[in-house]
Amino acid sequence: MKYDFLIAGAGLFGAVFANEATKAGKRCLVVEKRSHIGGNIYTKNIEGINVHQYGAHIFHTSDKKVWDYINRFAQFNHYINSPVAIYKDELYNLPFNMNTFSKLWNIKTPKEAYDIISAQIKGLDIKTPANLEEQALSLVGTDVYEKLIKGYTKKQWGRDCRELPAFIIKRLPLRFTYDNNYFNDPYQGIPVGGYTAIIEKLLEKTEVKLNTAYREFMGLHSDEVDKVIYTGMIDEFFDFKLGMLEYRSLRFENEILDTDNFQGCAVVNYTDENVPYTRIIEHKHFEYANTLRTVISREYPCEWKEGIEPYYPVNDDKNNALYHEYEKLSKAQDKVYFGGRLAQYRYYDMDKVVAAALELAESILKN
Ligand code: UPG
């Protein structure tokens, strides 16, 4: 056997696993269908700025082990994600905190904010929130929901808030302090030199074939492969034989502008349903780049279809049920392991991907 492990996909999951396996003396090959490594965390240097080609990625974690691990492959800057939201001609700080509330209602104290939100929630009579709309309303009341959540979520997911799972909105902190940090995690930052450099380092000692689809490679070389780590779409692995899972995708319009500062921060969300994009990313602010020009990306969500990249699993009841059927098939596979956002159909953040890849490595590399 030529390879102990064939790793399908050179994204974060595949690269972390490959690094561990190679270190453990296993012969590994990574096949990647795109022309570059990194999956959706890939960054490319344009105008001296590391542009997040597949959307903004901010590394944040509460897991000290994961933080120490990833810091072996990059130095992280002190970036703290503090996006703003624009609704019509109004601008608010995110996540939902005292800065947001004082601007919304012209108030100053947490008690004033709390009283307004409580009064709004009281009239709604929601017991256990059954969907994203009920969850959002019962957390922050009607004003925040109408201005900062409803339109954005509809654009992001292409579905009404009543059709979406409640957990999605719980990603965002709600605070009664003047604190614009988007995350509660103690560790956060952007890797100096971009994310692609992390993947390069992870894969430094592993053979990688780009422009190589898993299916085609196996069609010709399956006899050279012992075990497989598969990080692509789980339904595609099984030829969609139980039906297709839904994914959300994104399209980006990138522009290089002749100004050194276009919007004053890295992430500006446009929460009005009538603005066709969800956010504008100005990449230089992730890394405090000192450049004369700037690069911005407008982000347009769309439904995934064959030929474009999948980004987000749509974890509603219908899709989760179908995923569980595929998961059963995957468990019955003798020498194939499924990992990452697409293969596990899970809205994973990067730190969870690293943790899951390390866990898999630990459990199967022993022998
Ligand atoms: N949401 C709103 N209004 C907002 C922002 C978010 O309603 O202004 C809802 C929406 O339903 C969204 C959900 O909250 O789907 C989750 O939001 P978020 O966690 O920001 O979504 P992601 O697209 O996954 O966020 C990515 C990265 C995150 C990064 C962020 C850029 O996961 O790490 O910080 O983009 O701000």
Side-chain angles (χ1 to χ4, degrees), residues 13 19 29 72 81 111 134 156 169 178 187 195 216 252 288 301 311 320 326 332-333 355:
F13 191 100
N19 186 278
L29 171 67
R72 285 173 27 210
N81 197 30
K111 175 155 188 337
E134 291 187 5
Q156 166 71 13
I169 203 67
Y178 287 93
Y187 310 108
Y195 284 95
E216 278 143 46
F252 298 95
Y288 314 97
Y311 286 73
N320 282 346
Y326 277 118
Q333 292 278 320

Side-chain angles (χ1 to χ4, degrees), residues 55-60 79 81 83-85 94 96 132 145 148-154 156-157 161 164 168-172 182-183 188 250 267 269-271 278-279 281 286 299 312 341 347-350:
H57 284 80
I58 298 124
F59 202 96
H60 57 97
Y79 178 81
N81 197 30
V84 298
L94 291 175
F96 314 127
L132 195 152
Y145 175 68
L148 300 179
I149 298 176
K150 193 177 176 181
Y152 184 97
T153 300
K154 198 152 181 223
Q156 166 71 13
W157 295 98
C161 291
L164 290 163
I168 292 177
I169 203 67
K170 290 210 213 137
R171 290 171 59 84
L172 273 55
Y182 204 63
F183 304 113
Q188 180 175 176
L250 299 172
V267 183
N269 289 1
Y270 287 81
T271 57
T278 45
R279 49 191 173 196
I281 306 298
F286 284 130
E299 195 168 318
Y312 299 87
R341 240 191 211 203
Y347 193 172
Y348 266 144
D349 285 331
M350 288 181 282

